Amino acid sequence: MTDFPFSPLSSDYEQGKAYLQKMQYLALDPSLVDLRLPMTWEGQICRAIAHRISEINQELETHLARCQECFYPEQRLNIQIFATPFARHLNIDGFCNLKTQPITILIDVGRIVYQDWLCAVAHEYAHAQVGVAGHHDTFLEILTHLCLGLGLTPPPPNGLREAQLRKWPPCQPTADPLAFWLG
């Protein structure tokens, strides 16, 4: 992952805003990262991002490296990972954009408890390994492999319906996703 460069001349607000704009560019659709918040909240979020995002992204990068280690070197993909808040109306905690180079995984770490960040990364990493969207048999096989390699609870041996597989491994949601990003 390329570290997001912050200019020492820009304000914390400008740095956070620039980061969010980069995340919009990396998203499947920029509206996924469109917060549409009152200006005071947006300013608070941007300043919090400027102060904390490098540390948060490093944690996600560590989880991504653990996922990569579950595969032989020649099977490992070129993937970058970032934390970003998603639009409040969405009911997702992460997604994988297969159209970027490198492949991009975005995780809204404010939506899930810290202990489950690895679960969210593993789910999105499985999408990257499969190379196509959806929660089908190939996705189930890759996700099971990852869960076993990472010490996470694998999907039941008799499989799951697609709707259940969308939320595997289970991630405990936070009470207020925006609270994390407000600092």
Side-chain angles (χ1 to χ4, degrees), residues 6-154:
F6 286 130
S7 165
L9 302 177
S10 61
S11 72
D12 290 345
Y13 171 80
E14 291 167 332
Q15 291 175 5
K17 187 72 171 171
Y19 179 85
L20 289 174
Q21 288 170 340
K22 179 179 180 182
M23 296 305 103
Q24 286 178 319
Y25 174 77
L26 293 172
L28 292 166
D29 177 347
S31 69
L32 297 172
V33 184
D34 187 1
L35 300 181
R36 297 183 189 155
L37 297 170
M39 191 61 175
T40 54
W41 285 12
E42 180 182 321
Q44 190 174 342
I45 288 171
C46 288
R47 286 187 294 279
I49 284 173
H51 287 274
R52 299 172 45 209
I53 202 64
S54 293
E55 179 182 316
I56 295 165
N57 282 339
Q58 184 58 51
E59 183 76 24
L60 291 179
E61 185 71 26
T62 300
H63 293 319
L64 176 63
R66 288 185 61 199
C67 290
Q68 293 274 37
E69 290 170 3
C70 292
F71 293 88
Y72 293 112
E74 63 273 10
Q75 295 173 310
R76 296 175 187 163
L77 303 172
N78 188 12
I79 299 175
Q80 59 186 355
I81 189 167
F82 299 100
T84 190
F86 294 151
R88 292 180 2 163
H89 68 278
L90 297 176
N91 191 24
I92 59 171
D93 51 37
F95 63 84
C96 177
N97 187 348
L98 298 166
K99 295 180 181 181
T100 59
Q101 192 50 254
I103 295 168
T104 301
I105 294 175
L106 297 179
I107 305 286
D108 186 341
V109 296
R111 292 179 185 251
I112 51 179
V113 298
Y114 174 79
Q115 296 85 345
D116 290 342
W117 288 10
L118 177 60
C119 295
V121 173
H123 181 97
E124 298 309 323
Y125 186 88
H127 283 297
Q129 274 292 334
V130 173
V132 294
H135 301 89
H136 37 69
D137 289 343
T138 306
F139 175 83
L140 174 63
E141 291 172 21
I142 296 293
L143 185 61
T144 299
H145 174 80
L146 277 166
C147 287
L148 292 171
L150 296 169
L152 301 172
T153 303

